[in-house]
Amino acid sequence: METKELQNRRLLLGVTGGIAAYKCAELVRLFRQRGAEVQIVMTEAAKRFITPLTLQALAGRPVRCDLWDIQAEEAMGHIELARWAELVLVAPASADFLARLRIGRADDLLTTLCLATEARLAVAPAMNRVMWQHPATRDNVDVLRQRGVEIWGPAEGEQACGEIGPGRMLAPDELVRRVGEFWLPRRMKGVKILITAGPTREVIDPVRYLTNRSSGKMGYALAQAARDAGAQVTLVSGPVSLVPPAGIECVTVQSAREMFAAVMERIAGQDIFVGAAAVADYTPLRIEKKKIKKNSRTVTLELARTVDILATVAALDTPPFTVGFAAETDGLKGYAQSKLERKKLDMIAANHVGPGLGFEVDDNALWVFWPGGERRLSRAPKQILARKLMTLIMDRYAEKNSIENSG
Ligand code: CTP
């Protein structure tokens, strides 16, 4: 089953003159496979590296090259084309193209479109490493970045000219991934998501409680990413020292029992549930009304299991798309996959915890598993990781819905 995460998205792919242009064939194939509509615009130089016919066959619509092509202009004028695009991606973007973009030239169809469009613009530079590192190119890229142009890449590695260094165009699958992330902001409109975050506090007596080292940062970052993506977000949070993102509903709770009640009250009608909270697995059997005095050498606390919120949500008659977290010190993959199966989750995000990892830190790495697939999200600040995870959640959520709707 294909994921159609780019279904009906209108992408204008600009191709400029560089050896990496041959990779556009694969790029177009991947975009089409994901449901995107792809309009290709080539510069004169690009045609020396790959034929318009090849790209046209893959894109399923005529390639545009010439600003002065009367017939093509009649079908869809360059201004209409500029309005049609939701995203303009120029890949590969040559040094010459970046220079022309920086000055704001309109001397061919592609530069004219870039000037005439209000769509977001992303470029994937590809050139010899010395050209990339030249102060002129650096300066052009800086100015473009300040203007809000997304600069994707280049990657480091062996170049067509035999040299090694930065200048390779990002791989097609990486570009497709970034385009998916770019479109996330429109993808969650109308989606209702409930997220739990932070630790819980299990009261022992009037002055003491049991808790854990969760800071709530991951759950809050996920809430923000979902809000930015247009979702309707409810955050059920244990005690943390974070300010909830604006524009979401935030319910604060203390104990695992309160968190369970707050979630169950609000779960009906939710499309997605993410259990990012570090909920206490055990809570004191009795809450002492008076402070426990130290009148013996040892003390025994009797603890009882809490209700598993995540498993309860996943076991509902019509459960939302359910995502769990797993924090492990060892055996990460095995434990995470068995939790996925045992709790009947749609996805689980696992991370290593230990000194300097996982809790209380600003960055993290995640291993994400779902039935039949997995992906590693490499170490990054939690804000960035949250966007990546949200993209992955939306991909799988869309896939599950399309299977259910067709079945
Ligand atoms: N969770 C929950 N309610 C609980 C306990 C955990 O919703 N009472 C959720 C967490 O939010 C997280 C996931 O379950 O998404 C963690 O799974 P869990 O089995 O509790 O992990 P561990 O406690 O690490 O499990 P184990 O002790 O088996 O390692």
Side-chain angles (χ1 to χ4, degrees):
M1 180 72 204
E2 285 171 8
T3 51
K4 296 276 190 183
E5 66 265 31
L6 299 180
Q7 192 70 48
N8 300 331
R9 293 297 175 210
R10 299 190 305 270
L11 175 75
L12 196 143
L13 178 65
V15 185
T16 74
I19 187 71
Y22 80 90
K23 293 186 190 166
C24 285
E26 175 67 359
L27 190 58
V28 175
R29 197 183 65 79
L30 293 175
F31 281 136
R32 296 283 295 148
Q33 206 178 49
R34 283 159 179 74
E37 289 181 42
V38 185
Q39 172 64 57
I40 296 169
V41 175
M42 298 177 80
T43 62
E44 275 307 307
K47 290 197 277 183
R48 294 175 183 262
F49 293 93
I50 186 164
T51 71
L53 200 62
T54 306
L55 294 183
Q56 183 156 313
L58 291 164
R61 46 164 77 219
V63 167
R64 295 284 301 269
C65 302
D66 188 1
L67 187 54
W68 309 113
D69 181 335
I70 293 173
Q71 265 182 350
E73 277 292 305
E74 262 178 10
M76 176 142 55
H78 64 275
I79 296 294
E80 275 170 90
L81 214 50
R83 288 192 191 128
W84 172 88
E86 292 178 286
L87 171 69
V88 177
L89 169 64
V90 182
S94 65
D96 175 66
F97 174 78
L98 295 177
R100 290 192 295 134
L101 192 62
R102 184 243 166 104
I103 314 172
R105 298 208 51 151
D107 52 359
D108 64 7
L109 181 60
L110 186 57
T111 47
T112 306
L113 283 170
C114 289
L115 214 52
T117 191
E118 285 178 328
R120 290 294 294 274
L121 178 58
V123 297
M127 64 197 74
N128 162 275
R129 68 170 179 90
V130 184
M131 291 170 83
W132 172 250
Q133 283 162 338
H134 194 284
T137 307
R138 304 249 43 84
D139 193 36
N140 291 337
V141 168
D142 284 346
V143 170
L144 291 172
R145 195 177 275 126
Q146 278 163 29
R147 265 187 220 152
V149 176
E150 307 255 354
I151 314 289
W152 291 348
E156 297 237 0
E158 200 176 324
Q159 302 206 286
C161 50
E163 295 186 21
I164 293 177
R168 283 167 62 97
M169 186 174 90
L170 289 185
D173 58 350
E174 173 64 16
L175 289 174
V176 169
R177 204 184 56 69
R178 292 197 186 207
V179 167
E181 258 175 49
F182 167 82
W183 254 304
L184 183 64
R186 288 149 173 265
R187 289 183 69 194
M188 294 188 78
K189 256 210 177 91
V191 173
K192 290 179 83 179
I193 182 169
L194 196 158
I195 301 170
T196 64
T200 61
R201 274 182 192 168
E202 308 304 317
V203 172
I204 300 170
D205 71 11
V207 293
R208 302 181 178 96
Y209 52 76
L210 292 172
T211 190
N212 59 64
R213 292 174 56 189
S214 166
S215 65
K217 281 179 186 159
M218 195 64 211
Y220 276 58
L222 283 166
Q224 189 166 345
R227 181 209 61 186
D228 291 348
Q232 195 177 323
V233 185
T234 307
L235 181 65
V236 176
S237 173
V240 294
S241 54
L242 301 170
V243 180
I248 68 164
E249 186 197 352
C250 182
V251 184
T252 50
V253 296
Q254 298 282 321
S255 65
R257 176 198 279 265
E258 282 174 29
M259 186 172 274
F260 175 74
V263 168
M264 296 322 286
E265 240 172 67
R266 293 166 179 82
I267 198 69
Q270 297 289 341
D271 300 300
I272 301 175
F273 173 75
V274 183
V279 189
D281 290 322
Y282 291 92
T283 189
L285 203 56
R286 284 179 308 279
I287 299 177
E288 300 299 337
K289 296 224 162 45
K290 291 183 185 154
K291 187 180 163 202
I292 302 170
K293 299 304 270 182
K294 54 176 178 306
N295 44 21
S296 60
R297 255 171 56 82
T298 60
V299 66
T300 305
L301 263 184
E302 223 182 329
L303 304 176
R305 280 285 289 271
T306 56
V307 180
D308 191 319
I309 305 170
L310 184 67
T312 309
V313 169
L316 289 172
D317 281 347
T318 49
F321 185 90
T322 305
V323 184
F325 270 77
E328 311 287 353
T329 51
D330 59 295
L332 183 136
K333 188 169 176 169
Y335 282 132
Q337 278 175 333
S338 74
K339 268 179 208 172
L340 181 77
E341 282 167 32
R342 200 176 62 237
K343 298 196 188 187
K344 297 194 170 52
L345 307 178
D346 294 299
M347 187 182 268
I348 193 156
N351 64 313
H352 280 298
V353 284
L357 277 176
F359 290 139
E360 297 169 332
V361 291
D362 286 329
D363 60 359
N364 205 353
L366 289 175
W367 283 258
V368 187
F369 304 94
W370 58 90
E374 61 178 82
R375 166 92 52 85
R376 178 165 194 272
L377 302 179
S378 54
R379 195 169 179 138
K382 285 181 179 169
Q383 304 282 351
I384 292 178
L385 213 53
R387 279 185 66 86
K388 292 188 174 175
L389 181 59
M390 207 43 86
T391 305
L392 214 50
I393 290 174
M394 283 307 291
D395 290 351
R396 302 270 82 80
Y397 170 70
E399 184 181 33
K400 192 178 176 198
N401 277 356
S402 72
I403 293 173
E404 280 173 5
N405 293 341
S406 67

